[in-house]
Amino acid sequence: MSTPTPESYERGKGMDAHNSVMRDIRARKEKHYDPHEPTRVWLDEDNTPDGVYQSLTIILNTGGCRWARAGGCTMCGYVAESVEGGSVPHDALMDQIDVCLEHEREGADEKSGLIKIYTSGSFLDEREVGAETRKAIAETFSDRDRIVVESLPDFVTPEKLRDFREEGLETDVAIGLETANDRVRHDCVNKYFDFDDFIQASENAASVGAGIKAYLLMKPPFLSEPEAVQDMKESIRKCAEYAHTVSMNPTNVQRYT
Ligand code: SF4
């Protein structure tokens, strides 16, 4: 990558300008979502540290990612799939879980051992999913073996993860690290946190016996192909110490980005 000039960090250029443009683009969203229906739900199979499991993947419909509302990551259009107004109440979120359980009953002979919950934001952000709902969801799935919840690192605390561990669930936090390189994460992806925050989140998870699944971005915007391959290799090596699983995700062009 080239070295930026100091001017590219002036206010009104660089990330301030990016965030301002992204807010305008995201405001063009026209589709509206029912807060009693999940964004998506599907049955699949997944590899875990304990072997392959039938999985139920749930994209909960919440108020969406706080960071996306401020501008957000360059490649991410998930906030366009969220309910307007910033929050979804407990009862509506539990209705969404009921819809997902019904989907599982209709599509599979047995209950899935693995539950994966995403929110087009952070499941552990209490502005998206409050403590009451988090505990109720942990209880609902207490008869399963393992749960994965996705979150930005800032929201990963031992207290929140204990809700799942106390129900006897093997627990993983999926973190969209994207790359282990802070410069690429900040300047190409426009993601605000540092690798040190990821390490801190992994330590918080480990303190209650939970694990980390790192999501890496295959070819962050603005990197050439060789740079992207190199970035992926270095990132896998660097995060292997803190994450038991790495998920490599090809960049795609999403709506409202
Ligand atoms: S990638 Fe994650 S943190 Fe970034 S805008 Fe999308 S949901 Fe938010």
Side-chain angles (χ1 to χ4, degrees), residues 54-256:
Q54 176 184 304
S55 60
L56 179 69
T57 302
I58 298 169
I59 315 283
L60 272 186
N61 200 355
T62 67
C65 173
R66 240 193 261 194
W67 177 234
R69 294 193 182 286
C73 303
T74 41
M75 73 298 171
C76 178
Y78 290 148
V79 76
E81 298 181 337
S82 304
V83 170
E84 300 76 24
S87 70
V88 175
H90 171 76
D91 290 347
L93 287 169
M94 295 314 289
D95 288 346
Q96 294 183 34
I97 295 292
D98 288 342
V99 172
C100 296
L101 291 170
E102 184 57 35
H103 177 85
E104 183 184 46
R105 278 192 291 272
E106 284 173 2
D109 295 333
E110 54 185 36
K111 290 183 173 181
S112 307
L114 172 66
I115 304 295
K116 303 194 296 174
I117 309 186
Y118 305 83
T119 69
S120 304
S122 290
F123 180 87
L124 297 178
D125 178 354
E126 291 194 340
R127 280 202 230 169
E128 287 188 53
V129 179
E132 180 191 10
T133 313
R134 187 178 63 242
K135 288 176 204 290
I137 289 175
E139 209 182 314
T140 301
F141 292 117
S142 60
D143 56 349
R144 313 304 173 103
D145 293 338
R146 189 171 207 106
I147 194 161
V148 179
V149 293
E150 189 180 36
S151 180
L152 284 162
D154 340 10
F155 306 115
V156 181
T157 63
E159 296 71 36
K160 291 175 192 167
L161 297 178
R162 219 172 264 133
D163 290 342
F164 301 99
R165 298 291 293 136
E166 285 173 356
E167 296 291 349
L169 285 159
E170 292 298 330
T171 306
D172 294 319
V173 187
I175 297 181
L177 177 66
E178 320 300 1
T179 165
N181 182 313
D182 282 344
R183 171 136 189 253
V184 174
R185 191 177 326 93
H186 293 163
D187 291 354
C188 299
V189 183
N190 196 44
K191 201 163 231 175
Y192 61 88
F193 67 81
D194 293 333
F195 192 70
D196 283 348
D197 299 312
F198 172 76
I199 295 174
Q200 182 61 57
S202 77
E203 289 171 355
N204 289 350
S207 72
V208 290
I212 297 288
K213 187 174 177 183
Y215 280 66
L216 298 177
L217 195 60
M218 187 64 241
K219 198 181 179 310
F222 314 117
L223 291 192
S224 67
E225 277 78 3
E227 286 172 334
V229 170
Q230 190 58 28
D231 180 70
M232 178 58 74
K233 285 181 179 172
E234 287 171 6
S235 295
I236 292 172
R237 286 194 190 101
K238 208 169 158 192
C239 72
E241 191 181 334
Y242 309 99
H244 60 59
T245 306
V246 164
S247 173
M248 261 195 328
N249 298 273
T251 304
N252 60 341
V253 179
Q254 301 187 351
R255 285 176 300 161
Y256 306 106

